[in-house]
Amino acid sequence: MAGTDTISSMMESAIKRGGEEVHFSDTHLVGTMTSLEKPYLRLTCAPSPDQVRPEPILVKSLSHVMGKWRKEQNYTFVCEQLKSIRQDLIIQNINNAFAVKVYECHARIAMEKLDTTEYNQCQTRLIDLYAKNEKVGNPLEFLCYRILYYIYINNNSDAMKLVAQLNPAQKADEDVKFAVKVFNAWSTGNYYQFFKLYLAAPKMSGYLMDSYVQRERNKTMKILIKSYKPTLSVQRIADLLGYPDTETALVYLDDLKVVYTNPSKIKLDCKLTLAAVDL
């Protein structure tokens, strides 16, 4: 009974705190469930072993879920299944290389689908897992994403602190170098450099930047139409905002309902656009 009470007490704490950061270091629950798929349910009481999958089954489950992702691209299903795997890891206090793999997989898929909530949960957990597992996973790559995420939440102060604390090995990494360049461009208002870097984003950085690039384009567009009076060419906008061509830029501009100088849509009337567009 004492063991059950301990688990119940700790599980209550996990429920209150969201579960992700809670460690069950004082107890040892090993699951016995063998299902590869399991719905994710918010826990209201301590689970029994037959409701939790042990690590060997979770390894098979991850392979199964990732196989379905590659074939079907059903994010709703995959997200639920990965959350369920993560939950079983937390309950059993599994913090090893496999846990790193699970959280990295979910973080990558969440980035691809612009699910910043799930991505942030994964990246937060990965900070702790990397600290417990040296030379496991891709900590420098995800450090890059962490810096880029601070831009998404407009957290300039924490980003500055993180960049200032980088060690020589981190500073030398190409992914981290890229993120620092993006942060410096963003924080100093160098929009031309920001969008130039966006077009050259390595690995999955582009997906994460996709979550806020339109916001930054809108901010920059407001500056441009105030600065480039009386007119501003669409070609110039495409160059400055990181669009690959004028056709793509025109889609953005038409959505904004800008005012062109003539039907050919070669130039914007800055004064009329400033009055007509809410940026």
Side-chain angles (χ1 to χ4, degrees):
M1 285 297 293
T4 302
D5 291 342
T6 299
I7 295 173
S8 297
S9 175
M10 298 181 77
M11 187 58 64
E12 182 179 357
S13 176
I15 294 165
K16 289 179 179 177
R17 295 168 57 194
E20 286 293 339
E21 75 276 23
V22 177
H23 308 287
F24 298 94
S25 55
D26 296 332
T27 188
H28 187 63
L29 186 152
V30 177
T32 59
M33 187 179 186
T34 59
S35 300
L36 296 184
E37 297 181 12
K38 187 182 85 167
Y40 171 77
L41 299 172
R42 293 193 177 276
L43 298 168
T44 57
C45 61
S48 60
D50 63 356
Q51 296 174 310
V52 180
R53 295 165 294 182
E55 185 174 347
I57 299 299
L58 293 176
V59 171
K60 293 179 181 179
S61 177
L62 179 63
S63 177
H64 169 73
V65 170
M66 294 305 294
K68 279 204 164 188
W69 169 247
R70 288 188 287 271
K71 290 179 182 178
E72 302 172 10
Q73 297 285 298
N74 183 340
Y75 181 65
T76 301
F77 167 80
V78 168
C79 183
E80 180 189 41
Q81 292 304 310
L82 289 173
K83 283 169 70 73
S84 181
I85 292 173
R86 285 161 46 191
Q87 186 177 66
D88 285 351
L89 291 172
I90 290 289
I91 291 168
Q92 297 173 98
N93 194 31
I94 298 173
N95 301 305
N96 56 15
F98 174 66
V100 172
K101 182 178 181 180
V102 169
Y103 280 89
E104 285 190 347
C105 284
H106 199 173
R108 293 182 194 282
I109 293 173
M111 274 192 283
E112 185 175 342
K113 303 305 292 185
L114 301 184
D115 185 347
T116 52
T117 299
E118 287 300 328
Y119 164 75
N120 187 46
Q121 288 184 11
C122 291
Q123 82 157 355
T124 301
R125 183 75 174 115
L126 280 168
I127 295 170
D128 181 57
L129 289 172
Y130 288 142
K132 293 179 178 179
N133 298 273
E134 292 186 14
K135 299 180 180 179
V136 171
N138 301 278
L140 292 175
E141 179 186 352
F142 277 85
L143 176 58
C144 161
Y145 301 148
R146 188 177 165 198
I147 296 170
L148 296 177
Y149 180 79
Y150 278 133
I151 300 175
Y152 168 69
I153 60 174
N154 281 306
N155 193 335
N156 185 66
S157 60
D158 281 349
M160 287 182 67
K161 290 176 185 176
L162 180 57
V163 170
Q165 293 169 358
L166 295 176
N167 61 41
Q170 292 169 332
K171 290 178 181 178
D173 180 78
E174 291 302 318
D175 295 334
V176 177
K177 281 183 182 178
F178 170 82
V180 171
K181 288 179 181 177
V182 173
F183 170 69
N184 287 337
W186 174 75
S187 61
T188 59
N190 188 343
Y191 48 83
Y192 176 74
Q193 180 69 3
F194 176 87
F195 293 114
K196 184 178 179 181
L197 287 165
Y198 168 67
L199 293 177
K203 297 179 180 176
M204 300 198 71
S205 298
Y207 286 109
L208 194 50
M209 293 181 73
D210 281 343
S211 63
Y212 53 83
V213 72
Q214 288 303 98
R215 178 193 74 195
E216 297 305 316
R217 279 177 171 148
N218 288 346
K219 285 167 57 179
T220 303
M221 189 64 191
K222 188 172 184 178
I223 294 170
L224 292 177
I225 58 178
K226 285 183 176 180
S227 305
Y228 282 78
K229 293 180 180 178
T231 64
L232 176 61
S233 73
V234 172
Q235 181 63 62
R236 183 63 174 157
I237 292 171
D239 293 340
L240 291 174
L241 298 189
Y243 283 109
D245 49 55
T246 56
E247 289 75 14
T248 311
L250 280 169
V251 173
Y252 166 70
L253 294 172
D254 287 344
D255 284 343
L256 286 182
K257 295 181 170 52
V258 301
V259 180
Y260 299 100
T261 57
N262 57 56
S264 63
K265 297 184 177 182
I266 302 297
K267 294 181 179 181
L268 271 65
D269 184 310
C270 293
K271 183 177 180 180
L272 294 178
T273 296
L274 186 60
V277 176
D278 182 20
L279 289 168

